Amino acid sequence: MDTLPLMFAIVDASGVILSTNETWSEFGRANGTEVTPNTLGVNYLDIADMADDTTGEQAADGIRAVLAGEQSSFELEYPCHAPSSKRWFRLYAAPFTIDGSTFASIAHIDITARKQREWVLEAAYGICTDSSRTFTEQLNALLELGCETLGSPFGTFSRVHGDEYVFEAVSAPAAADLEAGRTTSINDLPNCRHVVEHREPLAIKDIEADAPDLADPEWGIANYIGAPVVVDGAVYGTLCFYGLEPRTAEFTQWDLTFVRLLSDWAGYELERQRHTEQRDALNTALPDPSFIIDAEGRFLDCLTDPETMMKVDDTDTLVGQTLHEFLPRNTADSLLSTVREALRTASFQSVEYELQAPGGTRWFEARVAPLESRAYDLDTVIFVARDITAHKDRQAELERQRDELRQAQRLNVLGREIAKALQDTQTREEIESAVCAHLTESDLYQAVWAGSRRNAAQVTLGAAAGIDTATPEQISPGEHRLAIDAIDTGEVQVVEDIADVSTQSDTGTDRPLIADHSSVAAVPLATGGTTYGVLMVYASTDATIGCRESDILADLGRLIALSIQRVHSQQSLQAATTVKLEFLTPDSDDVFAGLSAMLDCSFTLERRVPTSSGSSLHYVRVSGVDTERVCQALTETPSVESCAVVETVAENRAPLLEVALDEISASPLDTLVDYGGAVRRAVAADGDLRFTAEMAPDINVRAVVEAIQEGTPGTELRSKQYVDQPVSTVTDFRTRIRDRLTPKQAAALKTAYARGYYDWPRGSAAEELAETLDISAPTLHYRLRKAHDAVIGALFDSGTGPEKLD
């Protein structure tokens, strides 16, 4: 008992200590307790009962159970820390009998070293599994733990690259000249070179004494323990700990095992990272998921990341499943048939299939090839699921574009036919009827109708085709809204299904004119700033109206509007009786109206001339203000580009100004012209704008007034009257020209025209004309200019009444 390196005592049945060994006494003396002889005769159980913690109570209960024969033995591990160190012991108690008396042997075994090793292993495990740390941070923490555990000042993780030795992670004293990234020759570190070359751990407590051939004069390493780091079967480098002084104690087998555990983990982690990088690179280069599948359709392995196939987040959730467990039945049947066909024919097979994913339908091409290897002990194939959704989408888009292009080509041809048909129309009703008939007689559209605004929320039905019976009341609220939106915005409005904008009711009053699901376009009939109405176009069943078709329909809407404008103008010109409308816009936003109030003057518009740049020239006569002052005021106005005096003041005639406006705002005069009216007078005075126009007698005056008020709010229709319009023939027009020309002017004009002076390039020069007429060149130019003035004046002036301003 005295030779055993553990504390040992024998107690009787009541727990009284009968005997102890020398180690028991030594522990007592070392901890300030005189064990012998005072311990002898002391009741061990009473001492344990008086302990402050639960450990003593557990020990007493366990020993009593042993002495009572209730347990064959009792064990308990407990801490027993000293002020300067932490210690753990294991209590072991077992009964025995002598001459019928019961005794127990009690041993206290020091397990501090084991506990410390367990703590170190738990700490290392925590570091290795800490996903919040990078690999380098994990290495640094393990090296610090190793230095603390082994009592070594230096710990390094290094990589061997040829003859170079690269320190990738370092734990060293602050004063040491060693940090990560430093490079040295492997020959300068014979201990590390030995580990690399022999691929086995090395532990030396005193290199100078125990292995002088591994001593290094440069680094001065005196003790060393390290192990190789192996990655994919090759030595990557070393993980080692060392000091610059010999150790007093030998490295234990546990020390060597601990270092090997660290180096093995480092090698495993590097290998895992390398495989992860390779797999990521493979997934980047070949993003299609690949599988090994057997003849029963079971997934045996996953070669690449399967997330791109569907919603699989982990390979393990897929491996072991069958195609029928993972995919819809019809898709699984098709894929399993392809797998078996590849195995039967020993050849490559492919098949396309679609899957419903959270983001929508996705298309795949399964590429299946049999495997000759028997690694899986089954008939297997490699199955690559190639995502072809983008290809399918492009293919569908190309088909849609081809269909749209064919539709656009047919619509262009139809548009030319419609344009030709509209040339001979004389009324708006004829225009609308011709358009509706042409569009529905083709198979492009099943129904078409035209309408004009009734009020802010409804349209009035005009001509129609493709609809058996139609009245304004039958137009659904959804169709009214669509038509009004087109009129208000001046842009084509398209809906894929008219039913989507028409709420169905039990009475059926909300049903669209075309009951089946149809794509509809509302096309504004607009030109310039005037919108005459809307054309509602219903596509054929299962057809849609695309962007290209919508643009062509917009052009058709402008063509119809121009035709309506043409017939309005013709009606105004040809009518013997016209409707004279007089309007007033009080406090007008017009440039001239605003200046008339500011300068206390009046402006009378004589003519407006639009330019190619989109601006316009206004020729106005101004009264009641100095010419220079009004020109300065106009020039300072932001919308006025320039102002010039064309005619100065004369007897009974006010000065004439040419004013260029660089911004064209909505003008009621434009609206009148668009509706075929002839603007006869426009005067701005006292901030108000007054203007009159003559229009065809059958014009929809209400529509004209509403159009003007929409563009220029506040405008009032002050009077409406019918006036007789003298008929002017071509002969009358020629007579007016002849009356304005002198004989010499007429001779110069006729000679210039006959000799090609007005051709391009010119048939004769001015000098040749002058020689022919036997006059000088300046005289010729003078006579031609006067003749031109007479002809052009007859063209723009009616000669019989107020002048038309446009």
Side-chain angles (χ1 to χ4, degrees):
M1 288 171 55
D2 288 337
T3 61
L4 292 176
L6 52 85
M7 293 182 290
F8 194 89
I10 294 176
V11 299
D12 62 15
S14 62
V16 175
I17 300 175
L18 302 179
S19 176
T20 60
N21 70 344
E22 183 60 28
T23 305
W24 184 289
S25 300
E26 289 178 358
F27 181 83
R29 288 191 294 271
N31 289 274
T33 302
E34 288 294 334
V35 181
T36 303
N38 294 338
T39 302
L40 298 179
V42 175
N43 191 302
Y44 186 92
L45 299 179
D46 292 341
I47 299 295
D49 287 334
M50 289 186 295
D52 294 334
D53 54 23
T54 59
T55 302
E57 183 179 348
Q58 292 174 346
D61 291 343
I63 295 172
R64 286 190 177 100
V66 168
L67 291 171
E70 297 172 358
Q71 292 182 205
S72 61
S73 63
F74 171 73
E75 291 186 50
L76 175 67
E77 292 186 0
Y78 63 94
C80 184
H81 302 319
S84 60
S85 63
K86 292 184 179 297
R87 300 174 305 191
W88 287 265
F89 290 87
R90 181 166 64 91
L91 181 150
Y92 181 85
F96 64 94
T97 58
I98 299 178
D99 296 334
S101 298
T102 300
F103 303 90
S105 59
I106 299 175
H108 292 265
I109 306 168
D110 191 341
I111 59 170
T112 301
R114 177 172 67 81
K115 281 291 187 179
Q116 289 175 340
R117 292 167 185 170
E118 289 176 357
W119 178 86
V120 169
L121 291 176
E122 289 176 359
Y125 176 78
I127 295 171
C128 295
T129 57
D130 186 355
S131 59
S132 65
R133 303 193 193 195
T134 64
F135 176 61
T136 300
E137 290 172 342
Q138 289 174 314
L139 281 176
N140 289 331
L142 289 175
L143 291 176
E144 291 177 4
L145 177 65
C147 288
E148 179 183 352
T149 301
L150 300 170
S152 297
F154 293 90
T156 63
F157 172 80
S158 308
R159 174 172 57 91
V160 177
H161 183 66
D163 291 337
E164 287 188 336
Y165 192 70
V166 183
F167 294 90
E168 295 189 345
V170 172
S171 176
D177 183 19
L178 182 61
E179 59 184 11
R182 181 173 175 179
T183 301
T184 188
S185 172
I186 186 66
N187 295 319
D188 293 340
L189 297 168
N191 297 281
C192 293
R193 186 184 65 222
H194 180 277
V195 170
V196 171
E197 291 176 349
H198 291 81
R199 297 172 62 99
E200 61 182 18
L202 177 65
I204 310 174
K205 77 163 187 176
D206 187 347
I207 295 176
E208 185 71 30
D210 301 335
D213 55 324
L214 298 181
D216 66 276
E218 182 174 347
W219 290 77
I221 297 176
N223 68 78
Y224 178 93
I225 183 170
V229 177
V230 180
V231 178
D232 287 333
V235 176
Y236 177 89
T238 64
L239 188 147
C240 60
F241 300 90
Y242 56 88
L244 304 182
E245 298 292 336
R247 284 174 61 94
T248 57
E250 296 281 353
F251 286 109
T252 66
Q253 185 62 41
W254 186 89
D255 294 337
L256 199 57
T257 300
F258 174 65
V259 174
R260 288 197 62 173
L261 286 174
L262 299 185
S263 66
D264 287 348
W265 174 83
Y268 163 79
E269 188 63 21
L270 285 172
E271 193 170 299
R272 188 189 65 81
Q273 289 182 2
R274 180 177 296 179
H275 292 172
T276 300
E277 292 172 357
Q278 292 173 348
R279 177 168 169 167
D280 290 345
L282 181 62
N283 285 335
T284 301
L286 301 171
D288 305 320
S290 304
F291 312 93
I292 302 298
I293 298 179
D294 65 16
E296 299 305 317
R298 188 173 303 280
F299 292 93
L300 302 180
D301 200 357
C302 180
L303 305 181
T304 52
D305 193 344
E307 289 185 8
T308 54
M309 181 175 179
M310 274 287 285
K311 55 184 179 181
V312 181
D313 297 324
D314 184 13
T315 304
D316 294 338
T317 64
L318 188 59
V319 173
Q321 291 192 55
T322 65
L323 289 168
H324 283 81
E325 292 173 329
F326 181 65
L327 299 170
R329 182 179 180 82
N330 292 339
T331 303
D333 287 345
S334 174
L335 295 178
L336 182 58
S337 175
T338 304
V339 169
R340 290 175 175 174
E341 183 66 15
L343 290 171
R344 186 185 66 82
T345 61
S347 62
F348 168 81
Q349 302 291 325
S350 67
V351 65
E352 294 181 0
Y353 61 97
E354 62 178 327
L355 294 175
Q356 294 299 323
T361 301
R362 294 174 64 182
W363 279 90
F364 294 88
E365 179 192 21
R367 303 171 66 85
V368 184
L371 286 177
E372 297 181 0
S373 171
R374 308 299 295 180
Y376 295 91
D377 297 327
L378 294 167
D379 290 334
T380 54
V381 298
I382 183 169
F383 180 109
V384 179
R386 179 169 169 253
D387 193 332
I388 59 172
T389 304
H391 169 71
K392 282 287 188 179
D393 290 344
R394 287 194 299 270
Q395 192 177 48
E397 177 64 17
L398 287 174
E399 292 178 357
R400 187 194 64 77
Q401 289 178 356
R402 284 195 293 267
D403 292 342
E404 187 176 329
L405 181 58
R406 285 194 294 267
Q407 183 87 339
Q409 290 171 341
R410 295 182 61 195
L411 191 55
N412 277 324
V413 173
L414 183 59
R416 289 193 293 270
E417 294 176 356
I418 292 174
K420 185 176 180 181
L422 296 183
Q423 291 176 359
D424 299 326
T425 53
Q426 300 300 318
T427 65
R428 175 170 179 168
E429 290 72 18
E430 291 181 7
I431 293 171
E432 293 177 350
S433 297
V435 171
C436 292
H438 275 77
L439 290 176
T440 53
E441 286 172 1
S442 69
D443 59 355
L444 294 175
Y445 304 104
Q446 58 178 324
V448 181
W449 60 271
S452 57
R453 184 195 295 270
R454 174 188 292 180
N455 51 47
Q458 291 183 317
V459 292
T460 299
L461 182 66
I467 306 172
D468 295 335
T469 58
T471 63
E473 291 72 21
Q474 289 177 302
I475 302 174
S476 69
E479 289 166 309
H480 276 295
R481 286 193 299 271
L482 190 64
I484 292 297
D485 286 345
I487 293 174
D488 289 341
T489 63
E491 297 179 355
V492 177
Q493 305 293 315
V494 178
V495 293
E496 292 187 3
D497 187 351
I498 188 61
D500 291 341
V501 295
S502 297
T503 55
Q504 300 295 322
S505 65
D506 295 336
T507 61
T509 56
D510 293 339
R511 295 181 61 191
L513 290 175
I514 302 299
D516 59 347
H517 299 281
S518 174
S519 181
V520 179
V523 184
L525 308 181
T527 178
T530 303
T531 301
Y532 294 97
V534 65
L535 187 72
M536 296 290 288
V537 179
Y538 298 74
S540 300
T541 305
D542 299 329
T544 58
I545 298 176
C547 295
R548 193 190 302 268
E549 186 174 356
S550 177
D551 292 340
I552 296 175
L553 287 173
D555 292 337
L556 178 60
R558 284 188 285 272
L559 172 63
I560 298 171
L562 288 171
S563 298
I564 294 173
Q565 187 183 90
R566 173 181 58 78
V567 298
H568 283 172
S569 298
Q570 289 176 347
Q571 291 169 352
S572 297
L573 291 173
Q574 296 173 359
T577 301
T578 61
V579 177
K580 184 178 180 180
L581 305 177
E582 181 179 350
F583 296 89
L584 169 65
T585 306
D587 298 325
S588 173
D589 292 334
D590 181 79
V591 172
F592 301 106
L595 285 177
S596 71
M598 184 177 70
L599 302 177
D600 192 20
C601 65
S602 65
F603 294 90
T604 301
L605 179 64
E606 287 207 346
R607 194 173 307 282
R608 295 189 311 155
V609 180
T611 66
S612 59
S613 64
S615 61
S616 66
L617 298 175
H618 286 61
Y619 293 90
V620 295
R621 293 194 182 274
V622 59
S623 302
V625 67
D626 180 69
T627 305
E628 183 177 349
R629 182 184 176 193
V630 74
C631 283
Q632 181 179 355
L634 282 167
T635 304
E636 294 173 353
T637 303
S639 60
V640 175
E641 189 175 87
S642 63
C643 177
V645 179
V646 177
E647 294 180 8
T648 58
V649 63
E651 185 178 357
N652 298 324
R653 198 168 180 85
L656 180 67
L657 305 181
E658 179 189 76
V659 182
L661 301 182
D662 60 3
E663 294 183 0
I664 304 299
S665 58
S667 171
L669 306 185
D670 293 322
T671 304
L672 288 169
V673 172
D674 289 340
Y675 274 91
V679 180
R680 296 304 185 188
R681 181 176 176 79
V683 177
D686 300 325
D688 302 335
L689 177 64
R690 296 177 181 270
F691 52 97
T692 59
E694 294 180 1
M695 312 195 77
D698 59 347
I699 195 71
N700 187 339
V701 175
R702 180 178 178 180
V704 174
V705 173
E706 289 180 350
I708 290 176
Q709 290 175 340
E710 182 178 357
T712 313
T715 301
E716 307 169 0
L717 176 62
R718 302 304 300 269
S719 68
K720 170 187 172 184
Q721 57 181 318
Y722 291 90
V723 297
D724 292 333
Q725 179 172 263
V727 178
S728 178
T729 64
V730 176
T731 301
D732 294 336
F733 177 70
R734 289 177 176 173
T735 299
R736 287 200 303 272
I737 293 177
R738 283 196 296 269
D739 290 344
R740 293 187 179 206
L741 294 175
T742 67
K744 292 181 179 180
Q745 293 170 359
L749 189 61
K750 291 178 180 178
T751 302
Y753 181 78
R755 297 202 55 171
Y757 180 73
Y758 298 106
D759 295 340
W760 186 261
R762 284 180 171 175
S764 295
E767 290 76 9
E768 295 173 339
L769 291 177
E771 184 178 351
T772 300
L773 294 172
D774 195 20
I775 57 177
S776 65
T779 301
L780 172 70
H781 285 299
Y782 172 77
R783 292 178 181 177
L784 286 179
R785 281 197 300 273
K786 296 297 287 183
H788 294 163
D789 182 67
V791 173
I792 294 173
L795 176 64
F796 289 113
D797 298 337
S798 64
T800 59
E803 192 174 292
K804 182 179 177 182
L805 304 184
D806 291 276

